[in-house]
Amino acid sequence: MCGIVGYVGRRDACPILVKGLHRLEYRGYDSAGIALVNATGTLHVFKCKGKVSDLEHFLEGKDLGGTIGIAHTRWATHGVPNDANAHPHYSESESIALIHNGIIENYLELKEHLMRQGVRFTSDTDTEVVAQLLEFHYNECHNMLEAVGRCLRRIEGSYAFGIICADYPNALIAARKDSPLIIGCGENENFIASDVTAVISHTRDVIYMEDGEIAVLTAEGVNL
């Protein structure tokens, strides 16, 4: 089963996220990745086929600045294990990144609709469809939380999402339906994870998200 970990706070996000991925390795996976928004508001995604240790080697020498980020270990469901199908997935503009546990049942219908609108895809996954659909709605309403709501109303299936956007460099959005997702609450920092194991070394104050909930996490707090 795929693993999710996310962080927003005052510390460098990357080492916290990588440590969280290591704690989720027991779940089994075939690729790993991380997305970070740096101090200038630039979103970077780094991902590769293989183990978390392979990702760590891949990260050497990269721009890993930023106090907000999401990370993922993937077990292939849609698309073979490779770098392109690994999470996180970018939107076409590379301003939105998303990680996902679960299955989007109507992804093909949504993908075909987006392709008719001129959207280009780079992977075979159902998750990239959600990232592209999210940007489609964000371009309509110019409000990320509203875009998330519109997107969720259109997708069918199960999901636990972690979402970051370059236009919102201080906020991490989480959403859940039929797939586990928890929020870890710390002092001037907050976390999301698919399993409490990923955040237990940082906090024991945990919220278990309910089906249909959307949360916005910042360093200062959590809004559900």
Side-chain angles (χ1 to χ4, degrees):
M1 187 176 180
C2 303
I4 280 176
V5 61
Y7 174 81
V8 57
R10 307 286 172 81
R11 294 188 284 166
D12 285 339
C14 186
I16 295 169
L17 295 172
V18 171
K19 181 179 179 180
L21 291 183
H22 275 300
R23 288 180 170 270
L24 295 172
E25 286 189 282
Y26 75 93
R27 298 162 71 94
Y29 65 102
D30 53 52
S31 58
I34 188 170
L36 302 160
V37 178
N38 68 17
T40 64
T42 302
L43 177 62
H44 293 293
V45 172
F46 309 105
K47 55 184 182 174
C48 64
K49 177 184 175 182
K51 299 297 184 183
V52 176
S53 57
D54 296 315
L55 176 64
E56 288 181 286
H57 290 306
F58 182 64
L59 293 175
E60 292 174 0
K62 303 292 196 302
D63 178 1
L64 304 177
T67 58
I68 181 171
I70 51 177
H72 192 270
T73 51
R74 174 183 184 257
W75 187 258
T77 52
H78 292 89
V80 300
N82 61 24
D83 293 356
N85 289 332
H87 294 216
H89 283 285
Y90 265 137
S91 62
E92 191 172 14
S93 71
E94 301 187 350
S95 64
I96 297 170
L98 178 146
I99 51 177
H100 168 222
N101 287 357
I103 300 289
I104 305 304
E105 296 170 359
N106 63 334
Y107 83 97
L108 189 56
E109 170 192 335
L110 294 170
K111 184 174 185 176
E112 290 172 349
H113 169 74
L114 290 167
M115 289 176 70
R116 288 194 295 270
Q117 310 304 311
V119 176
R120 294 171 296 175
F121 287 80
T122 61
S123 80
D124 301 314
T125 68
D126 57 337
T127 302
E128 187 191 0
V129 174
V130 181
Q132 304 291 13
L133 182 64
L134 183 55
E135 178 162 272
F136 178 83
H137 287 301
Y138 182 59
N139 289 337
E140 290 179 328
C141 66
H142 306 289
N143 180 287
M144 181 52 62
L145 194 57
E146 172 63 23
V148 170
R150 293 186 187 187
C151 184
L152 296 184
R153 287 191 287 272
R154 294 187 62 182
I155 63 177
E156 300 170 5
S158 61
Y159 55 79
F161 290 131
I163 304 162
I164 56 174
C165 177
D167 294 341
Y168 293 78
N170 301 309
L172 166 61
I173 298 177
R176 176 195 179 240
K177 178 178 178 289
D178 298 329
S179 192
L181 193 63
I182 63 103
I183 297 170
C185 303
E187 185 175 349
N188 296 317
E189 58 185 9
N190 291 290
F191 309 80
I192 61 168
S194 50
D195 188 320
V196 69
T197 306
V199 300
I200 197 67
S201 63
H202 303 289
T203 181
R204 296 181 182 272
D205 184 1
V206 173
I207 301 168
Y208 289 84
M209 292 186 69
E210 301 290 340
D211 267 359
E213 283 191 325
I214 302 173
V216 180
L217 291 73
T218 65
E220 291 73 31
V222 176
N223 290 315
L224 279 165

